[in-house]
Each structure stands twice: as C-alpha cells, then as structure tokens.
Amino acid sequence: MSDSLPARAYFLACDPDGGPVSRRSNAALLVRAAAVTDLVLRGNLRDQRGHAEPTAAAPTGDLLLDDLLADLRTHSPASWRALLRRGRNDTLQSLETQLSAAGLLEEGSSSILHRKVLVPADPARVRDAHAQLDHALTAPPSEVDASAAALASLAAASGAGMSRSDARRHADRLKELEKLAGPVLPALRKAVAGRRAARIAAFSGGSGG
C-alpha cells in the first residue's frame, strides 16, 4: 500500500525534512484526490457525463481504495467535486492509520507546543516522493507514467507537496502532464478555489468589509 497514489501523495505532502504533514487541510484534499485518481487509473472509476461511475472491475486489494470504492458505490452517481469535498479528512485519517499499522508512520513531537504528531518512520520515503516529483517535471515525457503525471498535477493544484513558485516555474510542463491526470484535476481546482473564496469571504466579514 506504500506504493498507492494516496500514500505517495501523503509522503509528498510531508515536511521535506521528514516532519509531519504540513498544511493539513490541503494535504487532505490532495490525498482524497489521489485516491479517487488511483481508482480511475486502475479502471475502477470512469467519467459519465461529469459524474464518477464505478465500473465492474475487480477490487484493487488496497484497503483504503476498496473502502473508498465501496462508499462511492453507495453514493453514486456523484460529481467529481462532491467526491473530493466529502470525507476528505476521514480518508486522510484512514490512510494514516494504515501507514502507522504498516510501520511507515510513527509518533513524533511537533516543534510548536510539542504536541504529538505522526511523522514518517523513514525520512527517505519523503525524499523519494520529491525525487519522483522532480523526475515527472524534468524527465522526457515518454519516461513519465500516468500515475506520476497525475500526482504532479494534483500536487500543483492542491498546494500540497509543491510550492506555488515551483508550479509557476513548471507551468508549461504541468500543462503536458495534465493530459494524463484525468477528470479529478478540474474538480480539485474548483474545490481549492471554493475554499479560498470562503476564507476571503470569512475574513472580509470578520473585518467589517
């Protein structure tokens, strides 16, 4: 399960020095988008007139993905954006539980208030995730598979795992990779834009604007 797209997304969203996930709300969206995209790439989900439709493909064998697929069957049909917004925090927590059970996460202490947090048991996984991202952004397109291309596109859109400056610097390459990202990417952008608009509205209201 450490090679699933959501697991790779999780380690990409961790602090580059091997610390915990940073910007947790963004990471939750990225992990949820990566899980849904993984199901698309495996052939378990398909786009049907702008909605996610489960296929008759066999279960993936990955507990997180199969649990998500079972939930999607219950709520199908649903728009891609609705899938990203619903249950994203639960998906993040479920993934952390499974990564912890597999010995890939362990308890640590944050630098702020020294509260308990989950950190990668092996910081090399975080470095590997960023190395894979760098490869997707710089290698010849023929050497980048669909899952790596999708993850790079999702990271840029979510704001987790890739800085805005890096996203701008690699804008042309990301446009190429987007072709392999599937129907989740536009929905993720809309979800992120909606969250930003809500924060701006909340700030304006709170400041009397």
Side-chain angles (χ1 to χ4, degrees):
M1 74 95 55
S2 62
D3 291 327
S4 71
L5 202 59
R8 288 160 58 188
Y10 183 89
F11 289 116
L12 186 61
C14 285
D15 183 276
D17 294 326
V21 162
S22 55
R23 303 187 68 180
R24 193 169 179 82
S25 60
N26 291 45
L29 262 178
L30 173 60
V31 167
R32 179 76 171 187
V36 175
T37 298
D38 205 339
L39 290 173
V40 173
L41 295 176
R42 292 170 186 256
N44 295 92
L45 278 182
R46 64 186 175 192
D47 182 75
Q48 185 66 18
R49 297 180 181 179
H51 287 69
E53 180 181 79
T55 69
T60 67
D62 181 283
L63 181 59
L64 178 76
L65 295 179
D66 288 338
D67 283 350
L68 176 56
L69 184 60
D71 178 66
L72 297 186
R73 291 185 187 281
T74 300
H75 294 89
S76 182
S79 70
W80 296 102
R81 185 179 179 185
L83 292 186
L84 299 187
R85 297 183 62 167
R86 187 184 69 239
R88 60 185 182 273
N89 292 325
D90 291 339
T91 297
L92 178 62
Q93 291 172 6
S94 294
L95 178 62
E96 287 180 325
T97 297
Q98 292 180 40
L99 291 174
S100 297
L104 302 179
L105 292 179
E106 61 187 14
E107 278 197 353
S109 179
S110 71
S111 57
I112 301 175
L113 301 179
H114 300 288
R115 58 185 178 86
K116 290 184 178 180
V117 293
L118 290 172
V119 299
D122 182 1
R125 289 190 177 275
V126 179
R127 293 194 294 270
D128 287 346
H130 282 276
Q132 291 173 22
L133 175 62
D134 289 340
H135 178 80
L137 294 173
T138 58
S142 60
E143 297 180 9
V144 181
D145 63 26
S147 64
L151 184 53
S153 300
L154 296 176
S158 68
M162 186 187 301
S163 67
R164 290 186 182 180
S165 60
D166 282 345
R168 288 192 295 269
R169 183 157 55 92
H170 295 286
D172 291 340
R173 182 54 181 272
L174 287 168
K175 287 182 179 179
E176 295 181 28
L177 300 181
E178 287 174 10
K179 300 172 184 177
L180 299 174
V184 179
L185 180 60
L188 177 58
R189 284 180 173 148
K190 290 179 181 178
V192 171
R195 291 178 63 247
R196 287 175 181 164
R199 287 199 299 267
I200 291 172
F203 177 80
S204 297
S207 60

